[in-house]
Amino acid sequence: AQKVTQAQTEISVVEKEDVTLDCVYETRDTTYYLFWYKQPPSGELVFLIRRNSFDEQNEISGRYSWNFQKSTSSFNFTITASQVVDSAVYFCALSSYSGAGSYQLTFGKGTKLSVIP
Amino acid sequence: ETGVTQTPRHLVMGMTNKKSLKCEQHLGHNAMYWYKQSAKKPLELMFVYSLEERVENNSVPSRFSPECPNSSHLFLHLHTLQPEDSALYLCASSQEAGLAGSGELFFGEGSRLTVL
């Protein structure tokens, strides 16, 4: 069984502060994929990033960066110089092959980020 | 038009009503999904369709009945629901179901369902 834990239920920061959203996962598979999605108040989940288990390079995209560490089974997400538009619920997700050509995608419970102006 | 469109955005229904949720994707994808998002719970996968065939059903109660008439449209028919079925129902699509894990999902804005 696979599991994704986002221990932070809600986080509030003041605009321009940096914030890190934690994600810890469990899986027995050696090949898997990790994702972050953003869910703004409008409701739709927006894909942010996908990493595969063989690529531990950290990634930076503008104000967003991701730290993937297999040794601690973590895939943390940092927003630098946060903005009000970053306010949303952020979901970490894990996918691994479940046989018969399909993947099992497991989401964490999400972290609600509020950026205060 | 946005990639995945869901209607209605909000729905209130009694336990004896029959209603349907509709999802349409304009991305040329071959796989479509229904997810349920309840308060304080992880997103739950309900159904997966690949090329209009149901490939996964995660033990969803029969009061939820999906229909996929073509690769662009997905329906969720609702019948004699319970108050605990109140949730945000999200539709998603991906290029292929087999790549759902290695590829990205494109979500609609969801249909907020309230069962009285």
Side-chain angles (χ1 to χ4, degrees):
Chain A
Q2 54 187 39
K3 183 179 177 182
V4 176
T5 301
Q6 293 179 255
Q8 304 149 310
T9 306
E10 293 192 42
I11 300 176
S12 289
V13 299
V14 176
E15 200 171 20
K16 297 185 183 177
E17 286 184 349
D18 299 346
V19 58
T20 295
L21 309 182
D22 298 332
C23 174
V24 175
Y25 62 92
E26 295 176 27
T27 180
R28 294 179 180 177
D29 296 309
T30 55
T31 301
Y32 52 88
Y33 298 85
L34 294 162
F35 301 81
W36 276 97
Y37 281 86
K38 174 183 179 180
Q39 186 178 35
S42 54
E44 80 281 17
L45 275 78
V46 178
F47 167 86
L48 296 178
I49 190 172
R50 176 187 69 239
R51 302 299 298 209
N52 72 56
S53 52
F54 297 108
D55 183 2
E56 285 193 71
Q57 275 194 339
N58 292 330
E59 182 157 338
I60 298 174
S61 176
R63 296 184 297 107
Y64 295 170
S65 62
W66 291 269
N67 184 349
F68 176 27
Q69 293 197 351
K70 288 179 75 171
S71 60
T72 56
S73 297
S74 65
F75 187 44
N76 296 338
F77 173 31
T78 298
I79 302 175
T80 303
S82 59
Q83 300 176 2
V84 173
V85 294
D86 296 326
S87 297
V89 180
Y90 291 86
F91 291 91
C92 181
L94 164 70
S95 172
S96 60
Y97 188 64
S98 59
S102 65
Y103 284 77
Q104 179 183 355
L105 185 62
T106 302
F107 284 87
K109 291 186 178 181
T111 298
K112 182 177 181 181
L113 173 65
S114 298
V115 180
I116 304 164
Chain B
E1 286 190 344
T2 57
V4 180
T5 305
Q6 290 187 240
T7 55
R9 294 294 312 279
H10 300 274
L11 177 63
V12 179
M13 58 187 289
M15 289 191 286
T16 58
N17 291 157
K18 287 184 182 181
K19 296 286 184 182
S20 296
L21 306 180
K22 178 183 176 183
C23 176
E24 184 174 0
Q25 59 100 356
H26 311 277
L27 301 167
H29 289 166
N30 293 317
M32 296 186 76
Y33 312 77
W34 280 116
Y35 280 86
K36 176 183 179 183
Q37 186 178 25
S38 306
K40 301 185 192 298
K41 292 175 77 173
L43 273 79
E44 302 171 58
L45 177 63
M46 300 176 72
F47 301 103
V48 180
Y49 276 82
S50 176
L51 297 172
E52 302 140 49
E53 279 193 33
R54 189 190 305 180
V55 296
E56 190 163 343
N57 172 358
N58 285 353
S59 302
V60 178
S62 59
R63 56 186 184 270
F64 294 93
S65 174
E67 179 190 0
C68 188
N70 55 62
S71 59
S72 298
H73 294 86
L74 184 65
F75 294 89
L76 187 62
H77 303 300
L78 314 170
H79 176 53
T80 58
L81 295 191
Q82 304 298 312
E84 60 265 28
D85 297 322
S86 298
L88 181 68
Y89 289 85
L90 290 159
C91 175
S93 70
S94 67
Q95 186 63 43
E96 296 178 30
L99 294 176
S102 60
E104 64 188 85
L105 296 178
F106 291 78
F107 284 84
E109 294 181 326
S111 294
R112 174 72 62 186
L113 173 66
T114 302
V115 182
L116 301 175

